[in-house]
Amino acid sequence: MENIYYAHVRSKTKPELDQVRSIIQSTIDELEKAYVLVDGLDEITDADRQEDFIESIKALLVRSNTEGTKLHVLVTSRHQNHALGGGSIEVQPTPEEIIYMVEQRIKTPRSFKQSMRNK
């Protein structure tokens, strides 16, 4: 997995869905219980690619749970309707949390500048 990660970092590319699916599946196959966290589903901006990703997650759940691995998936996204099933919780930061986050970013100017450029 590290080799794939560093290969994409060096070439400044992103893995294809099939590659991600394969990595996750091979990792899950080795475990009795697995937890997968997908942060930022909304960052897949192409609707078809996002739907393909959602379908892949659903397929992993079905396959792993029928083969004996207990798979748990947590997906985070900005407020959007996704066909994942399960429940959803909307999280809103408090004003204090926002102030804290901004203060932390200001303390590390380089990170703050880079994050602002990426927006």
Side-chain angles (χ1 to χ4, degrees):
M1 191 177 337
E2 280 185 51
N3 293 339
I4 294 169
Y5 171 76
Y6 287 115
H8 284 288
V9 168
R10 280 191 300 276
S11 61
K12 297 180 181 178
T13 59
K14 295 179 182 177
E16 292 296 321
L17 180 57
D18 287 338
Q19 194 173 31
V20 173
R21 185 182 311 130
S22 175
I23 291 168
I24 293 172
Q25 188 62 60
S26 64
T27 303
I28 290 170
D29 288 345
E30 298 175 15
L31 304 169
E32 290 180 23
K33 187 184 287 187
Y35 296 85
V36 174
L37 169 62
V38 178
D39 183 31
L41 180 62
D42 57 289
E43 293 180 22
I44 302 173
T45 55
D46 180 90
D48 290 335
R49 289 179 58 101
Q50 191 178 88
E51 184 60 32
D52 288 346
F53 186 79
I54 290 170
E55 291 304 315
S56 293
I57 294 295
K58 287 180 177 180
L60 285 171
L61 282 164
V62 169
R63 179 178 172 201
S64 67
N65 291 330
T66 57
E67 293 180 2
T69 300
K70 188 67 176 167
L71 177 63
H72 304 272
V73 178
L74 173 64
V75 178
T76 68
S77 178
R78 288 184 176 82
H79 186 68
Q80 295 178 352
N81 292 326
H82 299 292
L84 280 171
S88 66
I89 300 172
E90 187 167 333
V91 178
Q92 293 291 330
T94 65
E96 292 81 14
E97 291 169 326
I98 294 171
I99 290 168
Y100 177 79
M101 188 277 302
V102 170
E103 287 173 345
Q104 294 305 306
R105 292 291 180 130
I106 290 172
K107 287 180 183 177
T108 54
R110 183 170 180 230
S111 297
F112 183 73
K113 288 177 188 175
Q114 286 176 339
S115 68
M116 298 294 25
R117 281 189 207 123
N118 293 333
K119 298 289 176 195

